[in-house]
């Protein structure tokens, strides 16, 4: 599976961005470490990825298909997320 974020931005209040133009890509065999200070937007990014929060701008591509076109159940069948107390979240695709 291939995951790509292309210039993804997200705001909870429509005024201030929590994520601004985030871009990265992960391939199936990659182990990707997402780290940052408290409030940097790690959980928010994962909530976009799992379609809990949806009104982002930019593109999130799963296997080349925009996340908006995937059903949440389909995404949940492909991606498992384990939230941890530490400041580092691992995503394995
Ligand atoms: N439901 C929400 N409504 C409004 N603002 C929110 C909401 N959830 C998070 N935020 C804000 O969005 C920003 C990013 O929060 P987020 O939880 O994504 O950060 P994080 O990197 O996961 O932080 P932590 O390391 O503490 O887990 C913070 O400023 C937070 O206050
Ligand atoms: Mg968090």
């Amino acid at each position: 599976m291939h995951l790509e974020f292309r210039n993804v931005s997200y705001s909870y209040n429509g005024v201030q961005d929590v994520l601004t133009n985030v871009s990265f890509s992960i391939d199936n065999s990659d182990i990707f470490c997402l780290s940052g200070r408290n409030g940097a937007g790690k959980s928010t990014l994962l909530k976009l990825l799992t379609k809990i929060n949806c009104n982002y701008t930019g593109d999130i591509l799963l296997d080349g298909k925009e996340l908006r076109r995937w059903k949440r159940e389909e995404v949940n069948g492909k991606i498992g997320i384990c939230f941890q107390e530490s400041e580092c979240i691992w995503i394995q695709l």
Side-chain angles (χ1 to χ4, degrees):
M1 193 166 73
H2 183 79
L3 170 67
E4 184 172 359
F5 273 56
R6 279 191 198 157
N7 295 318
V8 173
S9 299
Y10 182 78
S11 170
Y12 283 101
N13 61 13
V15 177
Q16 189 171 10
D17 278 354
V18 170
L19 302 174
T20 305
N21 292 328
V22 175
S23 298
F24 62 87
S25 64
I26 310 176
D27 277 312
N28 206 25
S29 57
D30 293 343
I31 295 177
F32 185 89
C33 178
L34 177 64
S35 66
R37 59 174 170 71
N38 295 132
K42 304 177 294 293
S43 295
T44 299
L45 188 150
L46 294 177
K47 286 174 185 172
L48 297 186
L49 182 55
T50 48
K51 292 177 74 81
I52 293 170
N53 296 344
C54 293
N55 294 323
Y56 55 88
T57 60
D59 296 306
I60 301 174
L61 301 166
L62 259 187
D63 288 339
K65 179 169 136 183
E66 223 296 325
L67 190 66
R68 297 173 181 96
R69 296 174 54 217
W70 289 91
K71 292 178 184 166
R72 187 185 290 175
E73 310 84 73
E74 293 175 319
V75 174
N76 289 346
K78 282 180 169 286
I79 300 173
I81 291 176
C82 181
F83 284 93
Q84 297 177 303
E85 288 302 312
S86 73
E87 293 184 0
C88 185
I89 296 171
W90 295 88
I91 308 171
Q92 185 155 9
L93 302 179

